[in-house]
Amino acid sequence: MSIEAGSDLIIFGAMGDLSARKLFPALYHLHHCDLLPEGTRILGVARPEQGLDDFLLHLKARVQPAIGADRWSEDTWMSFSARCDYLVLDFAERRYYQALADWVSKDRTAIYYLATPPGLFDQICTHLDSSQCLFPSSRIVLEKPIGHDLASCKQVNEIVAQYFTEENTYRIDHYLGKETVQNLLVLRFANRFINTQWDQGCIDHVQITVAETVGIEGRWSYYDRYGQLRDMVQNHLMQLLCLVAMEPPNAMTAEAIREEKVKILRALRRIDDSNVAQSVVRGQYSAGWHQGNAVPGYLQEEGCELKESDTETFVAIKAHIDNWRWAGVPFYLRTGKRMPEKLTEIVITYKSLPHNIFSGSEDTQNRLVIRLQPNEGIEMQMVSKQNTLKSKMALVRQTLNLDFLGSSDLDRIPDAYERLFIDVIQGDQSLFVGREEIEESWVWCDVITQACGRQNVKIKPYHAGSWGPAKAELIIEKDGRAWNV
Ligand SMILES: NC(=O)C1=CN([C@@H]2O[C@H](COP(=O)(O)OP(=O)(O)OC[C@H]3O[C@@H](n4cnc5c(N)ncnc54)[C@H](OP(=O)(O)O)[C@@H]3O)[C@@H](O)[C@H]2O)C=CC1
Ligand SMILES: O=C1O[C@H](COP(=O)(O)O)[C@@H](O)[C@H](O)[C@H]1O
């Protein structure tokens, strides 16, 4: 693999949660697998007045548990630490940036990774520029959320565009870095028999479920301003929907893939005042159970000072894509916190046969279940003859199972951030989100939010540990269908 040499990764927010749980563990793994180029330097920048040794001590205490005892190696950590450096920096104050300007070099590619509250993006870009930390090759990596709605998203994009070209701007949607999400592209575009059976002629409906067992994990003040529609649907579920629905790009380039995704986002039927009540279900968890333990309701979570909140922790949506391929095929989307299990799956249900010659067999629909996490793999549910002499032609449903780990040259499935770090170092934007697609995605979500407000689509309570409000079952059952799980 050819990886560009001479990159510097500068992590803003290096003492934060994302850095500890995701970014540094991913870098540790890449270093361990020799996938970070020889000269790559990693600079943590954060507010605490401390030296490199203290920074590394803090980091080790958080990274080690994330790696796990069986994979941890002191030797790897020592050699990884030798790549790292630390700078004290208050992101909002220009005077601190001189030290950064002295650290970076115009002969190397500086990659500024902003793992910070988004309200700081503007100041960071301005100070990087005025302190001569930016060179034509410099890249910026932006964590979600990029905006809270279309207007604020545009504002962030415009600010960033003053300092970085679109080619040097990497907007993260970590779902795109998941191996199984990339496998969706391979499944669709490297298999003729799948590719030729992928439209309204063959497919009855599509389900996308992203269920989480976690609550809001100490992020109340962020989450209550966002809710599940903005936190999960606007980005992760919309990306999954695009990858399922888009036309084949003519090449695996960022430009070609983005163009196809944007077409889908534009073809998504608006859910407005006329159809929001039938198309959207919103829920909020109350106290319940997770794996035998009592868990609090949303309004009892740490950090909550309100008696009530209209923020949804669950949302189910029936969507339509108004184009030739998908006319008449509903896409049922569902995502929530505090569900009974962690499950991300896409289920493609094929149409029934036009004429069934096997009497007595009811459900002959094929189903393709793409399990993104956990138990990563693909299942094709087929109808087969039962091996028996008792009955002439007894049919049974059987499953062809493709285990994703089975194709692996690793004994684990890499975390999304590992792929995304490799790609940003190599300058490959195909798994990052383009400006147009993120803005189109906000357009669709904003219309839903506004319609929910005007039509008073109320939050329905559900118990933590359940699959959401009963109405979420109805949204699909009234069409004579059922959720896969
Ligand atoms: N954590 C996660 O799993 C995910 C996070 N994200 C996004 O990533 C970003 C970071 O999230 P997360 O790590 O959880 O947040 P944290 O609050 O844990 O980390 C943010 C860091 O930024 C620092 N910071 C804030 N203001 C300044 C400043 N003026 N100067 C220097 N440092 C400052 C904070 O330092 P201090 O403590 O000193 O204030 C803190 O260490 C957010 O945009 C979040 O939405 C996205 C997906 C998942
Ligand atoms: O971006 C986010 O994603 C996580 C879920 O990510 P996963 O990789 O564990 O599926 C979600 O919990 C969080 O609220 C959201 O901000």
Side-chain angles (χ1 to χ4, degrees):
M1 179 181 298
S2 79
I3 299 187
E4 197 171 300
S7 297
D8 291 333
L9 287 166
I10 299 124
I11 315 272
F12 281 71
M15 294 288 284
D17 178 69
L18 183 68
S19 290
R21 283 192 312 108
K22 294 287 184 185
L23 306 186
F24 281 93
L27 291 169
Y28 170 97
H29 276 305
L30 291 179
H31 172 78
H32 182 72
C33 303
D34 277 337
L35 288 169
L36 281 180
E38 195 56 34
T40 309
R41 300 189 298 170
I42 301 167
L43 178 68
V45 292
R47 213 162 9 196
E49 300 271 352
Q50 60 185 355
L52 175 61
D53 289 347
D54 286 335
F55 171 63
L56 288 173
L57 269 180
H58 156 90
L59 213 52
K60 185 178 175 185
R62 303 264 339 247
V63 172
Q64 198 168 3
I67 300 293
D70 49 339
R71 297 186 191 281
W72 180 259
S73 148
E74 255 334 291
D75 287 348
T76 301
W77 176 253
M78 290 306 288
S79 54
F80 175 72
S81 304
R83 290 180 182 274
C84 296
D85 208 344
Y86 178 78
L87 263 186
V88 180
L89 209 119
D90 186 325
F91 308 156
E93 301 228 14
R94 189 184 176 283
R95 65 195 162 96
Y96 284 92
Y97 285 72
Q98 188 51 51
L100 181 57
D102 295 340
W103 191 89
V104 292
S105 154
K106 71 174 172 30
D107 302 323
R108 300 167 59 82
T109 305
I111 299 170
Y112 295 104
Y113 194 123
L114 307 196
T116 69
L120 286 166
F121 291 176
D122 186 1
Q123 279 164 308
I124 293 174
C125 288
T126 310
H127 295 325
L128 285 175
D129 181 52
S130 66
S131 310
Q132 275 86 49
C133 296
L134 297 184
F135 314 106
S137 63
S138 302
R139 297 174 191 157
I140 190 160
V141 184
L142 302 173
E143 264 300 338
K144 69 174 275 263
I146 300 192
H148 179 264
D149 53 16
L150 177 65
S152 50
C153 173
K154 279 189 159 171
Q155 216 174 359
V156 173
N157 283 335
E158 268 152 33
I159 288 161
V160 171
Q162 288 171 31
Y163 304 100
F164 295 89
T165 60
E166 183 64 15
E167 290 68 39
N168 284 333
T169 303
Y170 291 74
R171 296 177 194 82
I172 295 252
D173 183 313
H174 77 276
Y175 268 54
L176 293 178
K178 290 182 191 277
E179 289 285 304
T180 47
V181 174
Q182 294 157 56
N183 192 32
L184 195 51
L185 290 169
V186 179
L187 175 77
R188 285 200 56 201
F189 304 128
N191 292 290
R192 177 170 276 274
F193 82 98
I194 296 278
N195 177 30
T196 53
Q197 313 290 312
W198 203 263
D199 62 14
Q200 47 76 31
C202 302
I203 292 176
D204 176 73
H205 74 280
V206 176
Q207 300 179 15
I208 303 179
T209 294
V210 182
E212 302 181 81
T213 51
V214 291
I216 45 139
E217 307 293 284
R219 294 195 295 155
W220 213 89
S221 59
Y222 154 78
Y223 191 86
D224 199 55
R225 285 183 296 118
Y226 278 76
Q228 200 73 350
L229 181 75
R230 292 187 174 99
D231 186 50
M232 293 295 288
V233 176
Q234 183 276 329
N235 35 75
H236 309 321
L237 276 90
M238 300 292 275
Q239 286 296 326
L240 296 180
L241 180 140
C242 284
L243 296 182
V244 171
M246 72 187 195
E247 294 302 311
N250 75 326
M252 272 297 292
T253 61
E255 203 186 9
I257 295 172
R258 287 174 181 185
E259 268 173 23
E260 298 306 337
K261 287 198 278 185
V262 167
K263 284 186 208 158
I264 291 297
L265 293 166
R266 292 207 179 117
L268 265 174
R269 190 179 301 165
R270 299 286 179 252
I271 297 179
D272 56 21
D273 291 17
S274 67
N275 54 356
V276 71
Q278 309 89 279
S279 311
V280 176
V281 176
R282 305 167 69 226
Q284 187 184 87
Y285 62 87
S286 56
W289 296 88
H290 174 58
Q291 294 180 342
N293 298 316
V295 290
Y298 179 65
L299 293 171
Q300 289 88 51
E301 290 280 13
E302 177 200 333
C304 170
E305 287 171 0
L306 302 178
K307 288 223 161 29
E308 54 185 61
S309 161
D310 190 41
T311 299
E312 78 288 342
T313 60
F314 172 96
V315 61
I317 301 174
K318 179 179 170 186
H320 284 277
I321 298 168
D322 288 329
N323 68 11
W324 194 295
R325 186 185 285 270
W326 296 112
V329 180
F331 281 66
Y332 300 97
L333 316 178
R334 175 177 64 153
T335 177
K337 306 272 189 240
R338 287 278 186 233
M339 305 268 100
E341 54 184 284
K342 170 118 181 133
L343 175 79
T344 305
E345 69 172 22
I346 299 170
V347 182
I348 313 288
T349 302
Y350 284 84
K351 287 191 164 155
S352 299
L353 299 166
H355 171 63
N356 188 356
I357 59 170
F358 302 102
S359 58
S361 55
E362 290 127 39
D363 181 8
T364 53
Q365 284 183 304
N366 294 128
R367 226 163 264 125
L368 183 68
V369 181
I370 304 159
R371 297 187 314 259
L372 302 175
Q373 56 186 18
N375 307 323
E376 291 79 355
I378 294 170
E379 266 175 30
M380 174 60 100
Q381 297 176 5
M382 316 229 357
V383 183
S384 162
K385 184 192 173 304
Q386 191 184 7
N387 180 20
T388 177
L389 291 174
K390 287 188 189 147
S391 154
K392 179 81 190 291
M393 205 50 98
L395 305 194
V396 285
R397 296 189 69 79
Q398 287 196 306
T399 301
L400 293 176
N401 215 333
L402 201 68
D403 176 9
F404 191 68
L405 250 184
S407 70
S408 179
D409 66 351
L410 295 165
D411 58 353
R412 63 188 179 91
I413 294 182
D415 187 76
Y417 283 95
E418 295 178 47
R419 171 85 266 151
L420 297 174
F421 269 124
I422 293 178
D423 285 3
V424 72
I425 291 171
Q426 289 186 325
D428 179 347
Q429 286 189 308
S430 55
L431 298 176
F432 292 83
V433 185
R435 178 173 179 166
E436 239 186 318
E437 54 181 310
I438 202 166
E439 293 185 358
E440 285 297 339
S441 166
W442 274 119
V443 169
W444 194 71
C445 288
D446 281 1
V447 175
I448 297 181
T449 309
Q450 288 154 12
C452 283
R454 277 193 301 264
Q455 295 300 314
N456 200 13
V457 177
K458 287 218 163 38
I459 297 278
K460 306 279 177 201
Y462 63 95
H463 288 295
S466 72
W467 283 102
K471 230 184 144 198
E473 304 295 325
L474 286 182
I475 203 171
I476 185 163
E477 283 173 6
K478 68 179 163 45
D479 296 340
R481 302 175 174 118
W483 293 109
N484 188 48
V485 178

